[in-house]
Amino acid sequence: GELEVFYQPKVNVHLNQVVGMEALVRWSSEAGIILPARFIPLAEESDLIEKIGKFVLGSACAQSTQWRQEGLPDLEMAVNLSARQLQNANLPSQVAAVLEETGMPAHLLCLEITEGMLMENHERSVEILKQLKALGCKIAVDDFGTGYSSLSYLQRFPIDAPKIDQSFVGDLSTNRESSTIVSAVVRLAQTLGLKVVAEGVEQVAQEQLLRAMACDEIQGYLYSKPLPADEYATWLSNRLSVSTILRAESV
């Protein structure tokens, strides 16, 4: 009962509008909030990671439905999958069951995987991803650019969006090589008809560069840190109210 799902917004950099969010698990212990980097690696050594994955998926989809019922707009919900989940042949049926139980529209669910996960048993990964796509879900590759043969994945796997790793975004305004890599990935992905998301955006200068490069969406502390559900709903409502006022004033 100590695991909790936090949410971090994704913003369309051209429209300056919130278009989605990522569900991120946190451990609320007596010692305070414990970040995934500390406990997820341990959970991955056993079947606990699959239980945690199911909990996060179910919680995120149920929360999304609740927010929509309360009048918030349809926003994409991104949920991370573990390597064990992706290699489980029952994953598509499990996701389908969660969608049915929670009333979550499949097209609003984006399942995030890492490049490293794609390296494990290519054929099985492709088959499972195709089944998830058949349900109507979207697929994003997290930490893009840090794995192996990154560019080939854009063509070989049924992917909707690469998420440019924050290690490239962090020094985007000061490192020419990072800027060149990010720009090249954005151009290539969009040529293939893919959406591009940049994560770890913390500075206005980074946002401006990504907008100039025509990156589609950005995510990071520049907008908000990951928040508990109630705090995120308040943040989102305030953000939507401000956007409505600004649009009305521009008419």
Side-chain angles (χ1 to χ4, degrees), residues 1-203:
E2 294 184 348
L3 293 183
E4 183 178 2
V5 180
F6 282 37
Y7 301 90
Q8 186 176 39
K10 292 182 181 179
V11 176
N12 182 299
V13 71
H14 308 295
L15 302 176
N16 196 31
Q17 292 180 358
V18 180
V19 291
M21 69 214 81
E22 180 178 359
L24 300 160
V25 67
R26 297 290 186 267
W27 182 357
S28 301
S29 71
E30 295 181 356
I33 298 294
I34 300 177
L35 298 179
R38 290 187 59 192
F39 66 88
I40 289 298
L42 296 175
E44 287 177 338
E45 296 177 4
S46 69
D47 61 353
L48 285 176
I49 191 63
E50 290 199 64
K51 295 178 181 178
I52 292 175
K54 290 178 182 178
F55 165 75
V56 175
L57 178 63
S59 298
C61 289
Q63 185 63 73
S64 175
T65 297
Q66 179 181 328
W67 280 333
R68 286 184 288 104
Q69 292 174 344
E70 292 173 351
L72 292 176
D74 292 351
L75 298 175
E76 185 179 278
M77 176 69 76
V79 178
N80 292 284
L81 293 178
S82 68
R84 280 178 177 261
Q85 285 177 288
L86 185 59
Q87 295 303 316
N88 187 340
N90 295 322
L91 177 63
S93 61
Q94 293 173 355
V95 172
V98 171
L99 293 174
E100 183 176 0
E101 291 168 4
T102 62
M104 174 78 166
H107 72 277
L108 292 180
L109 177 62
C110 179
L111 299 169
E112 295 192 1
I113 57 178
T114 65
E115 289 185 70
M117 290 162 57
L118 294 179
M119 293 294 293
E120 301 178 15
N121 197 330
H122 289 189
E123 293 184 4
R124 172 172 288 188
S125 295
V126 170
E127 180 58 34
I128 290 178
L129 290 178
K130 286 182 177 178
Q131 292 179 43
L132 292 172
K133 288 278 291 181
L135 292 176
C137 301
K138 297 182 177 67
I139 306 295
V141 180
D142 202 5
D143 303 332
F144 188 80
T146 61
Y148 304 92
S149 305
S150 304
L151 300 181
S152 68
Y153 290 144
L154 297 180
Q155 184 178 25
R156 293 170 54 200
F157 292 88
I159 295 168
D160 296 282
K163 290 187 70 177
I164 298 174
D165 187 67
Q166 58 186 353
S167 63
F168 297 106
V169 175
D171 59 357
L172 191 60
S173 58
T174 58
N175 188 304
R176 183 177 180 179
E177 286 76 14
S178 290
S179 178
T180 300
I181 291 172
V182 172
S183 179
V185 170
V186 170
R187 291 197 305 271
L188 176 61
Q190 292 185 335
T191 299
L192 295 173
L194 305 178
K195 179 176 68 176
V196 184
V197 183
E199 55 184 348
V201 180
E202 299 183 355
Q203 303 170 6

Side-chain angles (χ1 to χ4, degrees), residues 11-17 207-208 210-212 214-218 223:
V11 176
N12 182 299
V13 71
H14 308 295
L15 302 176
N16 196 31
Q17 292 180 358
E207 177 193 40
Q208 293 173 337
L210 289 164
R211 181 183 292 111
C215 181
D216 298 296
E217 296 177 10
I218 54 180
Y223 296 107

